Amino acid sequence: MTLLTTARDLQRRKARERSGTFVAEGVRTVEALLASSLHVTGVLVSPSVQRTPRAIAVRQRALDLNLSVTEVSEAEFASASDTDSAQGILAVARVPDFSYGDLPSSAVKLLVLDAVQDPGNVGTILRTAAAFGVTATVALPGTVDLWNAKVVRSGMGSHFVHPTLVSTIDALAQFCQHRALPVFGADAAGVPVDQLQIPPQRALMVGNEGAGLSPESLALVQQMVALPIDAAVESLNVAVATGILLFAFR
Amino acid sequence: MTLLTTARDLQRRKARERSGTFVAEGVRTVEALLASSLHVTGVLVSPSVQRTPRAIAVRQRALDLNLSVTEVSEAEFASASDTDSAQGILAVARVPDFSYGDLPSSAVKLLVLDAVQDPGNVGTILRTAAAFGVTATVALPGTVDLWNAKVVRSGMGSHFVHPTLVSTIDALAQFCQHRALPVFGADAAGVPVDQLQIPPQRALMVGNEGAGLSPESLALVQQMVALPIDAAVESLNVAVATGILLFAFR
């Protein structure tokens, strides 16, 4: 399969899961990918890549790394691209292998996403998790695929430095029990975050944009935690709320 | 002009500024609008409005308020709609009048947006500002129009309860000087927020997604403030960073 066909194919979650690869698109994202330890399969460029010095430099970096760089037409590139204003560069890379067994033996700070669905929110959350020293982010069923192109783009390179793993709720429950990891759950009915003592090792769960935490997730929660917001406002955006909690929990 | 023509016209910033009106779209947003004190010009519905009980109730609420409710075809509605998955209801309403003179005489907490451009970010920021007791949000030149349909949608009703105003940098400088309002500026080179004493009255400025604060804005800043993030991450999303600062400043 040519790299163009592969990149097009990887727009589907099934193809990403089957192949264990994903697409990183845009100058900054590909730049961050090439600077990371991830295995890159190849780079696809269109004539647009000549537009900015930074894009030209990223293409050159790929060549210097002896990566395969395939040149295609604008129309071909657009058929594999997820954005309207394509910057003419994308890369196919391998999703890093990471499991509960790879977590350090102490001071584990997990962030758990329970059916968070908006790609922009999830990418932004990964970026924040990387910024505030979260050990790994766990995606429970119902969460958007972390390797979806929009999530990767919103992650601004955090996917390449911050460990993530996909898990069932049972596997998460087992891990937390085995490690005696207290589980905090974000919920408007919880205790305000500034009234809590946060242990150095813990899991923080955040729920779906509309529905919040699922009953199965709530069953794992030992301490519900809330943000002190004005009564005139129903809720915060989930990426903002998670950001504030990760700051307070750091 | 029919309400349909008006709504289409209001997709352009110039039309919004000339008429002093804007479009609020979607069931929840129109619901919040009708519950607010804003003056509503009229409501536009398509047959899709019959799909959910909540949408039917919002349409009925508009009729109960003696508002003009215009029924149009799906195609006509789509021509005025900003979303892909239209919920079949939008309203045209007047942008509330608010100026520096309307601010209370003490304990003013301003949030200032300096060329923040992404509509989703700005709507999310207004939602957070309303949640954490900001007195008013000021949009400086270069900031996306706060009454753009995408900003209103991301604001989730906060536009209708949280005062906003559009200002030049000179008018802001005058107001802050007149009120002896200390100006904090979000900048990675600043003092970590948890090391600062935050006065009860102040302005917090946040800058453009890529470029940060402009030189003109920086000239107003008395104290730069930063968030303590990991060196592996270049920056946070502006809505997340603003959310954390507003939480810390509340």
Side-chain angles (χ1 to χ4, degrees), chain A residues 161-191:
Chain A
V161 296
H162 175 68
T164 62
L165 56 98
V166 172
S167 170
T168 62
I169 187 119
D170 286 347
L172 173 69
Q174 260 181 23
F175 177 79
C176 292
Q177 195 172 23
H178 179 243
R179 290 288 192 91
L181 215 64
V183 179
F184 292 78
D187 190 291
V191 173

Side-chain angles (χ1 to χ4, degrees), chain B residues 47 126 163:
Chain B
L126 291 176

Side-chain angles (χ1 to χ4, degrees), chain A:
Chain A
M1 217 190 299
T2 69
L3 193 68
L4 176 63
T5 313
T6 302
R8 276 184 198 149
D9 202 37
L10 290 174
Q11 291 173 329
R12 296 178 307 115
R13 181 172 190 160
K14 283 233 162 122
R16 293 193 294 274
E17 288 175 347
R18 198 182 47 226
S19 65
T21 60
F22 70 100
V23 169
E25 191 177 334
V27 176
R28 280 162 177 258
T29 308
V30 175
E31 186 180 72
L33 176 66
L34 297 185
S36 79
S37 61
L38 266 59
H39 177 88
V40 179
T41 310
V43 174
L44 195 71
V45 297
S46 79
S48 291
V49 80
Q50 301 293 346
R51 272 195 220 145
T52 66
R54 192 164 177 182
I56 293 168
V58 174
R59 179 181 166 283
Q60 187 56 48
R61 177 80 187 125
L63 291 168
D64 293 348
L65 290 166
N66 283 320
L67 294 173
S68 134
V69 176
T70 308
E71 316 231 353
V72 296
S73 70
E74 295 296 355
E76 285 171 326
F77 190 91
S79 72
S81 165
D82 180 62
T83 55
D84 292 338
S85 58
Q87 298 172 342
I89 189 161
L90 65 78
V92 173
R94 209 176 285 158
V95 171
D97 250 337
F98 194 85
S99 67
Y100 286 117
D102 298 319
L103 285 164
S105 57
S106 69
V108 167
K109 302 176 208 306
L110 285 189
L111 173 65
V112 182
L113 308 181
D114 177 24
V116 184
Q117 288 178 329
D118 181 80
N121 281 341
V122 171
T124 301
I125 288 172
L126 291 176
R127 185 176 169 190
T128 315
F132 288 130
V134 171
T135 317
T137 297
V138 177
L140 292 181
T143 299
V144 64
D145 176 19
L146 304 183
W147 302 94
N148 163 316
K150 282 201 185 69
V151 179
V152 172
R153 203 166 54 247
S154 307
M156 298 281 283
S158 53
H159 285 72
F160 316 141
V161 296
H162 175 68
T164 62
L165 56 98
V166 172
S167 170
T168 62
I169 187 119
D170 286 347
L172 173 69
Q174 260 181 23
F175 177 79
C176 292
Q177 195 172 23
H178 179 243
R179 290 288 192 91
L181 215 64
V183 179
F184 292 78
D187 190 291
V191 173
V193 65
D194 32 17
Q195 293 173 27
L196 286 174
Q197 285 282 358
I198 312 296
Q201 162 153 312
R202 74 273 165 162
L204 169 66
M205 299 182 91
V206 298
N208 174 269
E209 286 88 347
L213 292 170
S214 67
E216 296 76 19
S217 289
L218 278 172
L220 289 193
V221 169
Q222 273 115 50
Q223 177 64 63
M224 297 221 283
V225 53
L227 290 168
I229 65 172
D230 193 285
V233 176
E234 208 178 288
S235 66
L236 293 174
N237 166 279
V238 67
V240 171
T242 306
I244 297 171
L245 289 171
L246 291 178
F247 169 75
F249 271 57
R250 84 196 176 285

